[in-house]
Amino acid sequence: MKNKIFQQLIYQLVSKLFVLPIYKFVLKGHLIGSENIPQKDSFIMVSNHGSLLDPPLLGHALGRNISFMAKAELFEIPFLGFIIKACGAYPVKRGIADKNTIKTACKKLSDNNCIGIFIDGTRQKNGRVNKPKQGAALLAFKNQKLLLPVAIVNSHRLVRFKFCIPLFSKIVIKVGKPFLPPQSASREDLNSLTIKLQNKINSLIG
């Protein structure tokens, strides 16, 4: 209980002191579809991925403490490792099926914590969902949790330079209506729902 309260305090501190100024004043962040965000139960947020800033921007904009998977190497960096762990991030090892990561995600969901998954698994140069993975759909089935499709627009091109002057793109975050978990863990059901999520997120991007 103490750890959860401490995590909430750290999360709110980082969100208000660091993320808020960047989101509101530098990137002119704007949220559309806030009425679609579940306020009581935990859920699985599924999004496109264009920038390293996506996790804090999404967590701040949605107003829920969302735990994201992060590269295991990041946890070894002094201070940064402490901050991301305190904010609820959990490590994932790239390129292998990490059972501990899946167990951690399931544990967070059972404790009524929301988790965030970038459905492509890595950043995309065009900012869209191109080759979605079925992990989010499988976690939704295992835990019987809603899947919340979210599009973060322009994060793949946050900064441009004109005459050596940085120009920041406006960030728009669009939230779609939640999807029910798949009816089974069959390849067909997981793939069908994953494609629906891909199409929904890309339609939100426009």
Side-chain angles (χ1 to χ4, degrees):
M1 185 65 180
K2 289 182 179 180
N3 286 338
K4 191 168 185 178
I5 294 174
F6 177 71
Q7 179 184 317
Q8 287 283 356
L9 289 173
I10 293 294
Y11 189 91
Q12 289 300 322
L13 184 67
V14 172
S15 181
K16 295 289 173 31
L17 292 183
F18 298 102
V19 184
L20 174 61
I22 295 173
Y23 175 72
K24 275 291 184 184
F25 304 114
V26 177
L27 303 176
K28 308 297 183 184
H30 180 57
L31 177 68
I32 299 173
S34 59
E35 68 277 5
N36 294 323
I37 304 171
Q39 294 302 317
K40 293 183 179 180
D41 296 329
S42 61
F43 56 83
I44 300 170
M45 190 221 71
V46 185
S47 175
N48 57 312
H49 190 21
S51 166
L52 290 173
L53 288 179
D54 289 347
L57 292 175
L58 288 166
H60 173 80
L62 268 61
R64 296 289 303 268
N65 190 336
I66 299 177
S67 298
F68 288 87
M69 295 181 185
K71 291 189 298 183
E73 295 81 4
L74 295 179
F75 289 83
E76 299 173 3
I77 301 175
F79 187 68
L80 175 62
F82 168 78
I83 291 294
I84 62 176
K85 186 176 181 180
C87 288
Y90 52 104
V92 59
K93 296 177 181 178
R94 292 283 181 91
I96 64 173
D98 191 349
K99 292 182 179 180
N100 288 332
T101 300
I102 297 172
K103 288 181 180 179
T104 300
C106 291
K107 179 66 167 57
K108 286 182 176 292
L109 288 169
S110 67
D111 289 342
N112 205 38
N113 292 310
C114 303
I115 66 169
I117 293 178
F118 297 115
I119 196 167
D120 275 309
T122 187
R123 284 173 289 162
Q124 302 295 302
K125 290 183 178 180
N126 64 357
R128 300 178 68 82
V129 176
N130 298 304
K131 295 181 180 180
K133 307 294 189 298
Q134 297 179 2
L138 180 59
L139 276 175
F141 173 75
K142 283 179 174 291
N143 298 276
Q144 287 300 293
K145 295 292 183 179
L146 293 174
L147 289 150
L148 186 69
V150 177
I152 179 165
V153 184
N154 287 332
S155 76
H156 65 297
R157 51 185 178 192
L158 285 181
V159 186
R160 293 172 289 113
F161 288 90
K162 188 174 182 179
F163 304 117
C164 298
I165 299 174
L167 302 175
F168 298 96
S169 298
K170 179 180 179 180
I171 287 293
V172 180
I173 295 174
K174 301 180 181 180
V175 184
K177 292 183 178 180
F179 282 68
L180 292 172
Q183 295 183 350
S184 75
S186 68
R187 181 176 296 179
E188 291 75 17
D189 282 349
L190 295 179
N191 183 65
S192 174
L193 182 53
T194 300
I195 296 301
K196 289 179 181 177
L197 287 165
Q198 176 187 24
N199 291 338
K200 180 60 180 178
I201 295 169
N202 282 339
S203 71
L204 289 170
I205 294 171

